[in-house]
Structure formats: C-alpha cells, structure tokens
Amino acid sequence: MDISAAIAGRRSTREYMQQPLEEETILRLIRAATLAPSAMNRQPWTFTVVQNQDVLDRVSRDAKAHMVATMSADLAAGARAEHVRPMLSDPKFHIFYHAPALILISGNAPGPWITEDCALAAENLMLMAHALGLGTCWIGFAQNYLNTLAGKRELGLPQHWVPVAPLIVGYPKTPPPAVARNEPDIHWVN
Ligand SMILES: Cc1cc2nc3c(=O)[nH]c(=O)nc-3n(C[C@H](O)[C@H](O)[C@H](O)COP(=O)(O)O)c2cc1C
C-alpha cells in the first residue's frame, strides 16, 4: 500500500471479528513499530501482547473502575471526563471492544523522550496494521490504570516500565467511517 493511502485510510476500529491474529502477523506489526525513530536510537520500548480474553475483560473492568474512582479527584480533569462517566459505568462497555489482541507499548528505560518514542512506534504499528487489512485503536482509557501498581501486576509488567500506547488490533467487522479533520492551523514565520 502506498504511504499516502495508508495514512489517509487508517481509522480507529471499534468492531472486530473474533478471528485471532496469526503470530507472524503480530511479529510483522511489532517489527514495523521498531523501525520508528527514537531519541538517540535508544529504542526504549517493550511490546506486551495479550490475547487472553479473560485478562482483557479483567483489565477493562478494572480500568473503568479506576477511571471512575479517580475522575473527581482532579476537579478540572473530572469536569472534562464527566461526559464519559455513563459509558464507563456501563457494565456492558468494554474498553477494548472485545478485540482479539492488545499490544501495549511501554517505555522500558528511564529517559526524557520515552513517551515520544513509544508513540512513534505506535503510529508505525497502526499504519502497518492498516496496510495488512487490520484495524487498530489506541485505548487511552486503559493508560492510567495500566500505570498503577495493580495494572502492572495484572499484565506482569516490571514496576519501572511506563505503559504508553495500549493498541487493540484485529480484523475489522466493518470498515469504520472517516472522521473529519480540521484544516491545519499553520503559523508561517517569514
Ligand atoms: C492518545 C489517544 C487515546 C485514545 N483513546 C481512545 C479510547 O480510549 N477509546 C477509543 O475508542 N478511542 C480512543 N482513541 C481514538 C481516537 O478517538 C481517534 O483516533 C480519533 O477519534 C480520530 O479517529 P481516527 O483514528 O479514525 O482517525 C484514542 C486516540 C489517541 C491518539
């Protein structure tokens, strides 16, 4: 697939077939992620692959509870997050949309740019997935919880790792519709 088509065609996918991913496909996605640039080429990332649906169900339930419990602690953030409260309180809402796999990209070494490095790896992975006919979605709802001790324990992550990009991956049930973009806000300096 041509790069322009990949960039323009990638969509966050929220409806998946139950078809599992082949191991070779997962490895291809991860190899594409590792081709991303990183500060001083330190490549400070680890890829955690979760396909066990019981684990994903548990993380979904606990991440929702964590978000609801911590929302009102910070009033400003709480006000912004208030509109998602009904969704997070709905026992039927699954933050991973029952996708067959989660690939979590975590920073595995201290450094000032691990977030940027992992986010660049994530975009590579999502573009490669699209080129292979797969759908992905970054699940920010999981992030805060996965950064807690309990969240790390749930996935067996060492305490010093920093979960950055929880990406669900799978074969899309239906192609998601395009989402509008604003015109670029450009500040030209002459
Ligand atoms: C950091 C980040 C966090 C996100 N968190 C969620 C999430 O928790 N749940 C969800 O359904 N989509 C999530 N998304 C997907 C965005 O909603 C989506 O990228 C945006 O609406 C644009 O749509 P597109 O990806 O199809 O272009 C997240 C995206 C990013 C980059």
Side-chain angles (χ1 to χ4, degrees), residues 10-12 14 97 137-141 143 177 179 181:
R10 181 214 53 80
R11 288 273 76 74
S12 292
R14 299 181 179 88
Y97 304 104
C137 189
W138 181 312
I139 303 299
F141 279 159
Q143 258 168 279
V179 175
R181 290 297 192 268

Side-chain angles (χ1 to χ4, degrees), residues 34-47 106 108-109 117:
T34 64
L35 296 178
S38 63
M40 294 176 289
N41 197 25
R42 289 186 63 215
Q43 307 168 58
W45 40 54
T46 296
F47 302 87
S106 304
N108 61 13
D117 296 338

